[in-house]
Amino acid sequence: MNRGQGRHLCPSGLHLFEHMMVSPWTVFTALVVISAVGVVTFIIEFIKKTGRNHSAESATASPTFLEDPHSLQRVACPSIFDPAEKYISLIIPAFNEEHRLPGALEETMNYLQQRAAADNSFSYEVVIVDDGSNDRTPKIAFDFVRKHTIDVVRVILLGRNYGKGEAIRKGMLHSRGELLLMLDADGATKVTDLAKLEYQICKLAEKGLQSGAGASNSSSPMISDVAVAAFGSRAHLEKQALATRKWYRNFLMKGFHLVVLLTAGPGIRDTQCGFKMFTRAAARKLFTNIHLKRWCFDVEIVYLSKRLNIPMIEVSVNWSEIPGSKVQLTSIIHMLFELVLIRLGYGLGIWKIHT
């Protein structure tokens, strides 16, 4: 009897076991779904954390001080919300730029001094933001402060490396100009081209004044009261660049530009040129909202300009590649990740835009 029962149950047990077995394709699909959910959850939590950090920085920002190398006294930084004290501010982010910074600064100071000599109303400042350099960059920057005084050249030390976007944001928020220009420490774009951006930005701002823009901010509005942005562009050099770069770099850049187009929309062909000018009103709106600290803050600026209805214009500039670039092929991955953050952060309403 027991043997018969054993022979009868064994096939049924095997049949049940076969039904309980899961196919490899089902296991693979489940793993893919779990991984995708995990990645999306991580990205959303990262976006939320970035938003919380941004809000905390805005709410509890402690005063930033400058150090005068002559008196060794701390000088309080101005705020972008203060009235302008200079005509133009040049913000230069610098991270380990001991070799390229001196030449770029000399060229910049020579140009600014020549303009000031020819026009008494032209006042300026150069704000160097050291992004946690571990070489002689801070020393070189302070040498220029000693040479030109702290009223003309100022150095902000971030203490550690945050990223180019954060260095520029910090410099913008503590500048005194009616116009604010960001430019790279390598001197790849000729500083003389700031006149091109200046002309276009003033032209747009004057139109804004005629239409009543900025009137609510002041009884006698100025160009700096109208929010306008001008973007230096290397788009006219694209054919030459495509001919000299390796095919895979061109492929990656074309793909990156496509993703940028999908993220920020059309209008600005070259979002990554480090030569951009803003009126004080535009800088106040943009750099109190910006979240990204590293690679794609430029794209976020374009995105925010559209959301805040800030007029933008793209201006061709002279540009030459300077040895020592910190952008590598692996940087494309970080850029794509940050583009995803922009779309999700603002698209899901996690990142708020304050007007």
Side-chain angles (χ1 to χ4, degrees), residues 267-332:
I268 301 298
R269 295 173 61 194
D270 183 7
T271 60
Q272 302 307 110
C273 181
F275 202 75
K276 297 179 174 64
M277 183 179 288
F278 311 89
T279 59
R280 193 168 186 82
R284 186 183 300 122
K285 291 181 178 181
L286 292 170
F287 291 96
T288 53
N289 276 296
I290 194 168
H291 288 78
L292 296 180
K293 298 180 183 295
R294 291 194 177 274
W295 300 106
C296 287
F297 72 96
D298 306 82
V299 180
E300 188 179 7
I301 289 173
V302 175
Y303 183 90
L304 285 170
S305 295
K306 291 185 176 183
R307 292 286 300 272
L308 292 167
N309 296 317
I310 296 175
M312 299 177 291
I313 187 167
E314 193 167 13
V315 183
S316 298
V317 295
N318 295 302
W319 183 87
S320 56
E321 188 166 354
I322 306 297
S325 172
K326 298 178 178 64
V327 179
Q328 302 175 355
L329 291 179
T330 53
S331 303
I332 298 292

Side-chain angles (χ1 to χ4, degrees), residues 102-118:
L105 277 178
E106 285 290 353
E107 182 179 345
T108 298
M109 297 308 301
N110 288 339
Y111 169 78
L112 295 173
Q113 288 172 333
Q114 289 173 10
R115 279 200 60 171

Side-chain angles (χ1 to χ4, degrees), residues 47-120:
I47 292 171
K48 289 181 178 178
K49 180 181 178 181
T50 304
R52 289 193 296 268
N53 291 342
H54 180 269
S55 299
E57 289 172 3
S58 301
T60 63
S62 58
T64 301
F65 293 90
L66 304 164
E67 182 179 311
D68 187 342
H70 288 288
S71 64
L72 300 181
Q73 297 295 315
R74 293 200 307 174
V75 178
C77 274
S79 167
I80 192 68
F81 294 99
D82 297 334
E85 299 177 18
K86 301 283 186 179
Y87 173 67
I88 191 168
S89 297
L90 280 70
I91 294 90
I92 304 177
F95 174 66
N96 290 345
E97 293 288 0
E98 65 176 348
H99 299 296
R100 302 192 295 181
L101 183 62
L105 277 178
E106 285 290 353
E107 182 179 345
T108 298
M109 297 308 301
N110 288 339
Y111 169 78
L112 295 173
Q113 288 172 333
Q114 289 173 10
R115 279 200 60 171
D119 181 1
N120 292 332

Side-chain angles (χ1 to χ4, degrees), residues 87 179 195-211 223 226 228 230 277 279 311 313 315:
Y87 173 67
L179 301 178
K196 296 181 180 179
L197 276 65
E198 178 187 1
Y199 173 79
Q200 294 294 341
I201 211 169
C202 289
K203 188 176 177 181
L204 275 178
E206 286 171 358
K207 288 182 179 179
L209 287 175
Q210 292 172 4
S211 64
I223 286 175
V226 184
V228 180
M277 183 179 288
T279 59
I313 187 167
V315 183

